[in-house]
Amino acid sequence: MTSGARHPDDPAAPRLRSDAERNRGRIIAAGRSVFARDGLNASMASVAREAGVGIATILRHFPTKEELVAAVFSDRMDAYADAVAAALDDPDPWRGFTGYIETACAMQAADYGFADVLTMTFPTAKAMEKRRDEAYASMVELINRAKATGRLREDFDPSDLVLIHMANAGVVNATGDAAPDAWRRVVALIVQSLETPARGPLPPSPEHDALYKAMLRAGPAGPTAPAPDKSD
């Protein structure tokens, strides 16, 4: 054993693990603040400054930006899935459907980072993507129920939800503090356009693979880094 190595029974070892856990918590909290304010275009260096740690410390805990995003927004994705479940529980499918759209768009308006998250996909964030997939499956069921009531236009496609989130994210990011409620008018215009009777047919919806590629392209590109040092 080298002189610099710690013995497993060294009382300082638990403190080191505790320090690392505190650093992780500070990084996640900083990520919430920075991404909510600046969106997912914010750099890892910005998060490091907010957390009061070095970029190397962030990369030891989160080797890629995608991993940090997944940790920061796991609770928001849970809240999003809960909103879908609440919409599905509404005895009025049309009210549940429109209420979901308004709730999800409000979540985007309240957090620039989450506005981006709903327009992107994160292939390595398995838990977050699984939660998104569960919410999507519930939304497909809700869409079918809303159509069965005769209130939702028949040519509405589940992929249109992604387009709605993309449109809302664009409005939220463009208007910012200058017109913080502009998204509400856009959402009202969208919702009213979805109700029957439809004034005319819609153009074809994007192919699933094409839309997935668009969401993948929009995702944050994480920095490359050497294998993390497990000591922090």
Side-chain angles (χ1 to χ4, degrees):
M1 179 182 293
T2 63
S3 59
R6 293 189 183 276
H7 189 277
D9 294 332
D10 185 341
R15 184 188 63 79
L16 186 63
R17 288 193 292 271
S18 177
D19 286 347
E21 188 59 33
R22 280 196 295 272
N23 276 343
R24 178 182 171 85
R26 288 167 64 189
I27 292 166
I28 291 174
R32 285 197 181 106
S33 176
V34 171
F35 292 144
R37 182 183 68 234
D38 302 329
L40 296 192
N41 285 330
S43 67
M44 296 278 267
S46 296
V47 176
R49 286 193 295 272
E50 183 80 12
V53 300
I55 189 68
T57 298
I58 285 194
L59 293 176
R60 281 194 286 271
H61 289 278
F62 303 103
T64 68
K65 190 174 184 180
E66 188 167 291
E67 290 177 71
L68 176 58
V69 168
V72 167
F73 290 102
S74 62
D75 60 339
R76 301 294 172 85
M77 189 58 74
D78 285 342
Y80 169 77
D82 289 343
V84 178
L88 197 57
D89 286 340
D90 194 311
D92 181 340
W94 171 252
R95 184 176 61 198
F97 173 73
T98 58
Y100 153 76
I101 291 177
E102 291 163 359
T103 297
C105 289
M107 292 174 69
Q108 287 185 294
D111 186 321
Y112 288 179
F114 194 65
D116 293 337
V117 165
L118 288 187
T119 70
M120 302 175 182
T121 190
F122 307 88
T124 64
K126 303 299 184 184
M128 189 168 76
E129 290 303 303
K130 180 175 183 291
R131 200 74 169 110
R132 189 206 300 269
D133 290 344
E134 291 169 353
Y136 184 81
S138 294
M139 275 308 306
V140 170
E141 182 179 351
L142 182 60
I143 287 167
N144 291 334
R145 291 185 186 182
K147 285 183 178 180
T149 68
R151 299 287 299 277
L152 177 60
R153 58 187 300 155
E154 280 295 325
D155 55 357
F156 183 85
D157 187 86
S159 65
D160 292 329
L161 291 172
V162 179
L163 299 181
I164 289 171
H165 290 320
M166 287 179 171
N168 190 56
V171 170
V172 166
N173 285 309
T175 56
D177 294 337
D181 290 328
W183 68 273
R184 297 183 184 278
R185 184 175 178 86
V186 173
V187 171
L189 290 168
I190 290 171
V191 167
Q192 291 179 32
S193 74
L194 299 179
E195 189 171 10
T196 56
R199 297 303 179 97
L202 293 171
S205 60
E207 294 292 335
H208 180 273
D209 288 348
L211 196 55
Y212 178 81
K213 287 178 182 177
M215 294 176 71
L216 191 63
R217 186 182 299 119
T224 57
D229 181 349
K230 301 299 184 183
S231 64
D232 192 9

